[in-house]
Amino acid sequence: LSSWFLFLYKLAAEFPSEDIFLVTASPVIKAVTNFKQVSKTLEEFDVEEQPSSLLEKRYPNIRVIQSGVKQLKSDEHKIYTEDGKEYIYEKLCLCAGAKPKLIVEGNPYVLGIRDTDSAQAFQKNLAQAERIVVVGNGGIALELVYEIQGCEVIWAIKDKAIGNTFFDSGAAEFLLPKLTAEGRETPIECKRTKYTVEGSEEKGRPTGASDKLGSALGPDWHEGLHLKGTKEFSHKVHIETLCEVKKIHFQQEFIQLQWTSLTFPKGEKNVEADEVLWPVYVELSNGKIYGCNFIVSATGVVPNVEPFLDGNNFAVGEDGGLKVDKHMHTSLPDVFAAGDICTAAWEPSPVWHQMRLWTQARQMGWYAAKCMAADALGESIDMDFSFELFAHITKFFNYKVVVLGRYNAQGLGSDHELILRCTKGHEYVKVVMQNGRMMGAVLIGETDLEETFENLILNQMDLSAYGEDLLNPDIDIEDYFD
């Protein structure tokens, strides 16, 4: 649901006399605040939860229907909600987001972190934990292992290096010292407010279990949460690379197997047997077994296409998303889609690719509203500029991280070269070059190079003459290419 906020605002302003319905199972909406346009394509913002009544007060033509969708009948232009009602639409946009891709469904010891409630459940479980296993190598996993204190963390990743989604092994090596450092910076107090419905708390449910998907977490989801276990130490993270979870064993099953698990490794060759009896055990594909209090599944998301597929002939992408064209239109008449639920099926810019991030969801929501408005008015519309260049700004291990274009040389084959500049503990700069043109970049730290590199990637200037001097710290490249 991260994409519909700006979508609704745009439509409400364009069509003040039309009724606009927002059908959502959540009693709160996600609001983008403190928006800052860093450059042409880079943007920063906070995400706050607000009661849906604020949206209705601001725009009288918006009506929020708090119910899940039970069925879509696209041939009749109708949706049926779980509370037994039906609604007829002229234009429909599906912004149902994505759901966690759990390593195993229905296991009370496996937690996925996707919405505010699951984040709170994680915090509650962590407060009583001595050791957890984190599985996954994306943004949430990176943030978790850095933020957790007072708890042993076994981090299982299928790649050679951490953060493979966002950067290469060189950047991973640059970040590792921050992960193992004893002290860490004080986290910023969370600005977001949590709204709940009175009486919505259910008793007797295993902590972390959820039948409903809430709104997706904002980019600052962990800030302000007290992510501390039962121990008094700061960081204690061990990384198991090139492995996946083979099987999860409950305590009683593990006792019957008479197997041996490992203690938290104290060195590279530590293989001591663990005498502690844990609630659950994780068997990894590399043959190692670790006991823990619970497991965090942070292995990505899948588009939340249910219950829209049944009876509707949607074109679906290989990643499970609803295919949309360059005007955010699905394969069905008058049905649009935006955000994590959709798959961009148009011919993309050479330096743009889809990634299920808050920044792209916000951009897609805004653009989808423009497309729906143009379609209703019979007008043509140009592709939004935000799809010209992949650009994302975030924070990992308290470093500012900017990724641009083909930052990991995605799709470039072997016909490319990398230029690097690294100052330990200060900055890491990598640019991807092809035929003398800059195709992508990774910037970690306060480099002040993002706007310059954004322009160089967009205008495809031939930089062959500069060679490695492109990253020479003695040359003020920002002024040179200004």
Side-chain angles (χ1 to χ4, degrees), residues 289-308:
I289 301 174
Y290 291 100
C292 61
N293 293 99
F294 66 93
I295 302 140
V296 178
S297 178
T299 50
V301 297
V302 291
N304 187 31
V305 294
E306 299 294 344
F308 309 113

Side-chain angles (χ1 to χ4, degrees), residues 180-192:
T180 55
E182 275 300 308
R184 59 177 289 271
E185 294 88 343
T186 304
I188 302 166
E189 185 178 353
C190 187
K191 303 172 188 173
R192 297 188 290 134

Side-chain angles (χ1 to χ4, degrees), residues 53-303:
S53 57
L54 290 181
L55 185 63
E56 294 177 313
K57 285 178 183 176
R58 190 175 300 180
Y59 294 98
N61 59 328
I62 291 180
R63 180 181 162 197
V64 179
I65 299 160
Q66 192 189 326
S67 177
V69 175
K70 185 178 181 181
Q71 187 181 13
L72 164 65
K73 288 192 175 180
S74 60
D75 54 342
E76 298 177 20
H77 278 54
K78 286 182 181 179
I79 61 165
Y80 294 83
T81 53
E82 291 178 350
D83 59 6
K85 297 180 180 178
E86 66 176 61
Y87 300 89
I88 298 174
Y89 64 84
E90 290 181 33
K91 306 285 181 186
L92 174 68
C93 190
L94 302 177
C95 304
K99 56 186 178 181
K101 186 166 56 179
L102 296 179
I103 53 175
V104 61
E105 297 283 350
N107 189 314
Y109 292 103
V110 177
L111 300 182
I113 300 178
R114 176 63 182 168
D115 53 23
T116 313
D117 288 331
S118 60
Q120 295 287 350
F122 167 73
Q123 178 181 259
K124 185 176 179 181
N125 279 273
L126 183 64
Q128 305 168 48
E130 295 181 38
R131 182 192 298 168
I132 68 169
V133 173
V134 175
V135 183
N137 200 16
I140 284 184
L142 279 167
E143 291 167 329
L144 269 186
V145 296
Y146 176 71
E147 295 292 335
I148 291 171
Q149 298 183 73
C151 180
E152 295 175 351
V153 178
I154 305 293
W155 187 9
I157 62 176
K158 64 180 181 180
D159 309 297
K160 287 183 179 180
I162 66 170
N164 190 62
T165 305
F166 291 95
F167 31 70
D168 58 14
S169 57
E173 286 296 320
F174 173 82
L175 291 171
L176 274 177
K178 269 287 186 80
L179 185 60
T180 55
E182 275 300 308
R184 59 177 289 271
E185 294 88 343
T186 304
I188 302 166
E189 185 178 353
C190 187
K191 303 172 188 173
R192 297 188 290 134
T193 306
K194 169 69 191 285
Y195 292 87
T196 55
V197 179
E198 188 175 354
S200 65
E201 294 292 325
E202 296 185 36
K203 296 180 180 179
R205 168 186 284 187
T207 306
S210 177
D211 298 324
K212 301 290 183 184
L213 273 177
S215 302
L217 289 164
D220 60 346
W221 69 272
H222 55 82
E223 293 179 353
L225 289 178
H226 187 61
L227 300 183
K228 191 176 187 309
T230 60
K231 302 294 185 180
E232 290 306 313
F233 53 77
S234 181
H235 281 101
K236 210 167 184 181
V237 180
H238 172 71
I239 305 170
E240 290 285 350
T241 61
L242 297 170
C243 68
E244 298 181 71
V245 173
K246 184 178 179 181
K247 195 170 182 184
I248 295 170
H249 304 275
F250 291 118
Q251 185 187 91
Q252 195 59 40
E253 177 192 358
F254 190 77
I255 292 172
Q256 291 174 351
L257 289 169
Q258 296 184 329
W259 287 356
T260 301
S261 65
L262 302 176
T263 58
F264 188 88
K266 296 172 185 172
E268 287 294 320
K269 298 183 179 180
N270 177 277
V271 287
E272 290 182 25
D274 197 347
E275 301 298 327
V276 178
L277 201 57
W278 297 94
V280 66
Y281 291 83
V282 178
E283 181 183 353
L284 300 175
S285 57
N286 61 10
K288 296 179 182 179
I289 301 174
Y290 291 100
C292 61
N293 293 99
F294 66 93
I295 302 140
V296 178
S297 178
T299 50
V301 297
V302 291

Side-chain angles (χ1 to χ4, degrees), residues 4 13 26 40 86 139 147 174 185 219 228 258 291 332 339 355 394 410 441 454 468:
W4 53 248
S26 174
K40 289 177 186 175
E86 66 176 61
E147 295 292 335
F174 173 82
E185 294 88 343
K228 191 176 187 309
Q258 296 184 329
L332 299 184
M355 201 168 177
T394 186
Q410 300 96 319
E454 175 192 63
E468 294 186 4

